[in-house]
Amino acid sequence: MVAFVKSVTFDASDTLVLAAFWAAALGSDVDEDSTADRAWVEPAGWGGPTLWFQRVPENKTAKNRQHFDLRAVGPVEAEVERLVALGATVTGSDGDVVVMADPEGNEFCVEA
């Protein structure tokens, strides 16, 4: 028997804001039992791990050692614009990949 990824955990200053961003970005909802101390987002449709957000007192101080690579369903530019409207920022690009950060500075990439 093997293990599987149950959840991906984010440390956060504001769990509900960060959970709301990722829920909107991934087409899901923030779980109704979420609180300011802990929040989670169930995977939308196709499955995958739950995203878990836990409040911590310190701010993010360094580059992520792992990150999400999101595949745009339509044009990458349109997806980047949508994510920016949700609160993300563009931090750079590397060829066909746009590097972004969520509202608390966690890096992720968007590609075709």
Side-chain angles (χ1 to χ4, degrees), residues 9-108:
T9 304
F10 288 77
D11 288 350
S13 296
D14 191 330
T15 60
L16 295 172
V17 167
L18 200 54
F21 169 81
W22 282 105
L26 300 175
S28 188
D29 297 302
V30 177
D31 188 276
E32 64 188 26
D33 293 327
S34 295
T35 68
D37 287 326
R38 61 180 190 215
W40 57 94
V41 174
E42 295 288 334
W46 56 268
T50 297
L51 301 183
W52 177 263
F53 304 87
Q54 61 185 8
R55 185 167 59 176
V56 297
E58 67 276 355
N59 290 325
K60 181 178 177 296
T61 59
K63 183 179 182 291
N64 298 7
R65 295 202 40 117
Q66 69 180 32
H67 66 268
F68 291 129
D69 288 333
L70 304 182
R71 174 157 299 183
V73 177
V76 170
E77 297 80 15
E79 182 63 5
V80 167
E81 288 178 17
R82 184 182 78 84
L83 293 167
V84 166
L86 293 173
T89 55
V90 175
T91 63
S93 64
D94 184 14
D96 295 334
V97 176
V98 178
V99 182
M100 302 187 76
D102 71 16
E104 291 203 6
N106 299 298
E107 298 88 1
F108 65 96

